[in-house]
Amino acid sequence: MLIIIFVVNIGMYLADNGAAIAANKQNRKIYMFCSKSYFDKVYSDVDLQTFKSPFDFPFVVSKEPSDFFIAGFKNDRLVLYYTNSKFFFGFNNIKIGLSSDIVKKSKLYFIDRFIIIRGNSTYVYNDSNLKVEYDVALVKNFYVFLFYDRLAKPNSVCGIFMVEKSLWDEFLINEHPITANKDAIQSLLVSFEKINLIHLNSIRFYLKKQYFVFSDIISKLARMHSHNMAKYNFFAHTDNFEKTPSDRFKDAGILYTKLGENIAMGTKLLPFFANHLLLNSKGHRQNIEGSFEVVGTGCAVDPNYENVYYTQDFAVLIR
């Protein structure tokens, strides 16, 4: 389940210059189950950081929004890989920027639901965003998710996610993959926040916009709002104390000329999934691609239903 909603408060407009054009880089020829040593060699020129993940391995994440990826390794083999970088060599001739119409003509086997067999049991997992926001192809023992920019003309691939089938199947049927380790929930949510921010800037690069500047104080506000939504079981910009985004900024003493907020909620919703879905909603996209300068992200989870809440607060601050 996913729900997203946005609010924009227009104030003074500040022009936004386009993002700098990245230097030419060699195509990244990455394939599923490649060795970690091979992967490290391909990305030897990229600064990396490691974040906690809901799996039995950490996320290895690019620090560079212009060449962004998330990777996961099991037994020194690549079992999870997401990218929205145009430097990725592609999969089965599918690259970032390719028209969705051409994708449809490929020989890939696209599924309309996840059928998971465990012993004598068969599980059917229906995804309401499947064939709407993204397509999923089953290729031997892994899935390929193709995220689309539905507001671009023509619609085009703007993200590729490859993941080992058994790994993703287990994530889908596991009732509590996010909150299973009670001692690690907060560190996992902090990881989600940081990945969400870097991914936002990778989308800004895709949109040829300047990068957002991260604000710790604004992130605290965003985190508080996500926490309240998860704790008190509501989903709205006006919180359970009748405070609006502008009220929360005012109470924190943050002065701004322009303010916007996106919120998203979904079961087991990973940060890059949330951003892709927000990108395809016109109002949310206006916030993501607008002239905002700073951003704070906050994440929380309802442990009963594994609903993950994201709040993104955007602003142009008064200096």
Side-chain angles (χ1 to χ4, degrees), residues 39-312:
F39 187 95
D40 290 342
K41 183 177 180 180
V42 171
Y43 281 109
S44 61
D45 60 332
V46 176
D47 290 333
L48 307 178
Q49 52 196 327
T50 301
F51 292 121
K52 188 168 184 58
S53 86
F55 305 102
D56 292 332
F57 50 79
F59 284 145
V60 178
V61 180
S62 167
K63 292 183 179 180
E64 300 180 18
S66 63
D67 196 7
F68 181 74
F69 70 81
I70 304 170
F73 299 89
K74 186 170 63 176
N75 298 324
D76 287 327
R77 296 290 173 179
L78 182 71
V79 294
L80 180 150
Y81 177 77
Y82 166 85
T83 188
N84 58 355
S85 171
K86 290 185 177 181
F87 301 122
F88 174 50
F89 186 75
F91 172 80
N92 201 46
N93 296 320
I94 297 174
K95 300 181 179 181
I96 301 298
L98 189 70
S99 167
S100 61
D101 290 338
I102 296 178
V103 172
K104 296 293 186 182
K105 297 176 183 178
S106 71
K107 296 182 180 180
L108 291 175
Y109 169 66
F110 291 105
I111 64 175
D112 57 9
R113 55 185 173 171
F114 295 90
I115 299 177
I116 304 165
I117 299 174
R118 286 289 185 273
N120 295 324
S121 300
T122 299
Y123 304 85
V124 177
Y125 188 93
N126 293 303
D127 184 340
S128 61
N129 293 302
L130 192 58
K131 292 186 171 293
V132 179
E133 304 289 350
Y134 44 77
D135 282 325
V136 177
L138 178 58
V139 183
K140 294 184 179 178
N141 52 351
F142 64 96
Y143 295 116
V144 180
F145 287 69
L146 300 173
F147 295 90
Y148 298 116
D149 184 341
R150 291 300 192 189
L151 299 184
K153 302 298 182 182
N155 293 173
S156 59
V157 177
C158 62
I160 297 175
F161 175 47
M162 301 187 293
V163 60
E164 183 183 40
K165 183 181 186 302
S166 61
L167 179 72
W168 195 250
D169 287 349
E170 187 63 30
F171 181 73
L172 293 180
I173 64 176
N174 186 348
E175 290 187 4
H176 296 284
I178 307 295
T179 61
N181 186 347
K182 303 299 182 182
D183 296 331
I185 293 175
Q186 289 308 311
S187 59
L188 179 59
L189 294 177
V190 169
S191 294
F192 282 5
E193 291 174 358
K194 292 180 178 179
I195 292 172
N196 188 264
L197 174 69
I198 304 170
H199 188 237
L200 271 179
N201 272 339
S202 73
I203 293 174
R204 291 283 284 188
F205 182 82
Y206 162 80
L207 296 170
K208 300 180 180 179
K209 302 290 184 178
Q210 287 182 337
Y211 294 152
F212 292 124
V213 176
F214 170 73
S215 169
D216 184 62
I217 189 171
I218 293 177
S219 285
K220 290 179 181 177
L221 291 182
R223 188 177 302 119
M224 177 183 66
H225 187 59
S226 290
H227 175 76
N228 284 340
M229 287 191 291
K231 181 178 180 179
Y232 296 106
N233 191 29
F234 73 93
F235 187 75
H237 294 288
T238 300
D239 63 27
N240 51 311
F241 303 106
E242 299 301 319
K243 299 285 188 177
T244 66
S246 58
D247 291 330
R248 294 191 286 272
F249 268 64
K250 182 179 179 180
D251 290 346
I254 304 173
L255 303 179
Y256 63 90
T257 58
K258 184 178 179 181
L259 170 65
E261 182 174 272
N262 288 347
I263 57 176
M265 182 271 285
T267 305
K268 308 176 188 177
L269 187 63
L270 297 182
F272 58 96
F273 274 81
N275 279 339
H276 273 293
L277 295 163
L278 290 167
L279 184 67
N280 279 338
S281 173
K282 186 175 181 181
H284 302 95
R285 189 185 181 111
Q286 288 174 355
N287 284 340
I288 293 172
E289 71 176 354
S291 58
F292 292 111
E293 297 174 349
V294 299
V295 65
T297 60
C299 188
V301 61
D302 174 357
N304 296 316
Y305 302 102
E306 295 290 287
N307 291 327
V308 185
Y309 293 79
Y310 293 88
T311 300
Q312 300 170 342

